[in-house]
Amino acid sequence: DFSSIDDVQAKSAIAEWNLIATATGGVFRFDSGWVEAAGDIKLSGPAAQPVLAGRVEITDGRATRHFALRNFVVTSQNDGETKPFAQRLPDSLKNLQLDLNVAVQSFGARAELNAFPARAGLQADMQLQGDVLNPKLLGSVEIVEGEVAFPKARFDIVTTRIAIEDTGAGAMQARIDLEARAELSRRDFPGLAEEDLVVVLTLQGDLDEMALDLQAEESEEEYTRTDL
């Protein structure tokens, strides 16, 4: 909570920061979920340009986001916009420099897609660096397991690429390139031309809007994504 830092600096005429914080098992809640985190961070340097450095480790957490699917386009249904972290900082920290290692051991993400749930377990190892008003997030985010559950078929997530992109004004957006597979049987889907059919589902785009596609793999029959 940075709400009182401006008051502290104004009353104390701080010339230089030297604050050290250590946390274990701290739980932080937000509108769509929660995280449990531990870490060691230090705020140091001249008041005109302090540096926040150290390591933050997310040991557990959950988040849910709602989406709508229409004409094979998935769009976010979250109401309102969250201000970027930099815009919530007090004026005295607007020149803050970042040098943080952020590790995610276990984090559960859930998407509600027209009442069809999708879930994924995430791990990550990232570096948050640079000016707080224009930060750079380097590293990788990986889905270690997950699925998309439609009423008659479950697609297991097999490959994922998640890139964190700078959208300006201190905000970042995750760009998704996901592939999931399901094996369909004629027993459950009598309209299939073959006994078994592997269907590949792909999602591409950012969290606000993604394109969904369905393709049959190694089939002699030509299926459209509407057929599937």
Side-chain angles (χ1 to χ4, degrees), residues 5 15 47 49 71 92 116 130 147 168 170-171 178 186 194 198 211 225:
I5 284 184
Q49 195 172 53
N71 296 328
S92 57
F116 307 144
E147 66 180 26
L178 177 149
R186 187 186 289 170
E194 43 267 283
V198 175
R225 63 184 183 182

Side-chain angles (χ1 to χ4, degrees), residues 5 44 47 65 67-68 101-102 110 133-134 137 139 144 164 171 174-175 177 202 208 210 212:
I5 284 184
S44 62
R65 191 160 181 163
F67 297 86
N101 174 251
V102 182
R110 182 179 175 90
L133 296 179
N134 188 27
L137 190 60
V144 292
I164 308 298
R175 184 165 183 83
D177 189 348
T202 59
D208 290 330
M210 293 174 282
L212 183 148

Side-chain angles (χ1 to χ4, degrees), residues 78-173:
N78 282 14
D79 295 328
E81 295 183 359
T82 301
K83 289 184 178 180
F85 173 72
Q87 295 182 17
R88 303 197 300 270
L89 285 173
D91 291 340
S92 57
L93 291 180
K94 288 295 174 67
N95 291 326
L96 183 67
Q97 300 297 303
L98 301 172
D99 185 13
L100 292 169
N101 174 251
V102 182
V104 180
Q105 285 188 358
S106 175
F107 188 82
R110 182 179 175 90
E112 294 289 346
L113 177 62
N114 286 21
F116 307 144
R119 62 169 189 83
L122 305 179
Q123 292 182 343
D125 188 9
M126 299 173 290
Q127 293 286 334
L128 186 59
Q129 299 177 338
D131 191 325
V132 73
L133 296 179
N134 188 27
K136 303 298 181 186
L137 190 60
L138 310 173
S140 61
V141 180
E142 179 185 5
I143 292 181
V144 292
E145 55 87 25
E147 66 180 26
V148 182
F150 287 100
K152 292 186 178 180
R154 188 189 72 181
F155 289 80
D156 293 317
I157 297 173
V158 291
T159 61
T160 309
R161 180 178 178 272
I162 303 176
I164 308 298
E165 298 181 347
D166 182 6
T167 62
M172 287 175 282
Q173 177 68 285

Side-chain angles (χ1 to χ4, degrees), residues 23 25 47 58 77 94 117 219-220 228:
I58 295 174
Q77 297 299 291
K94 288 295 174 67
S219 173
E220 296 180 359
L228 297 170

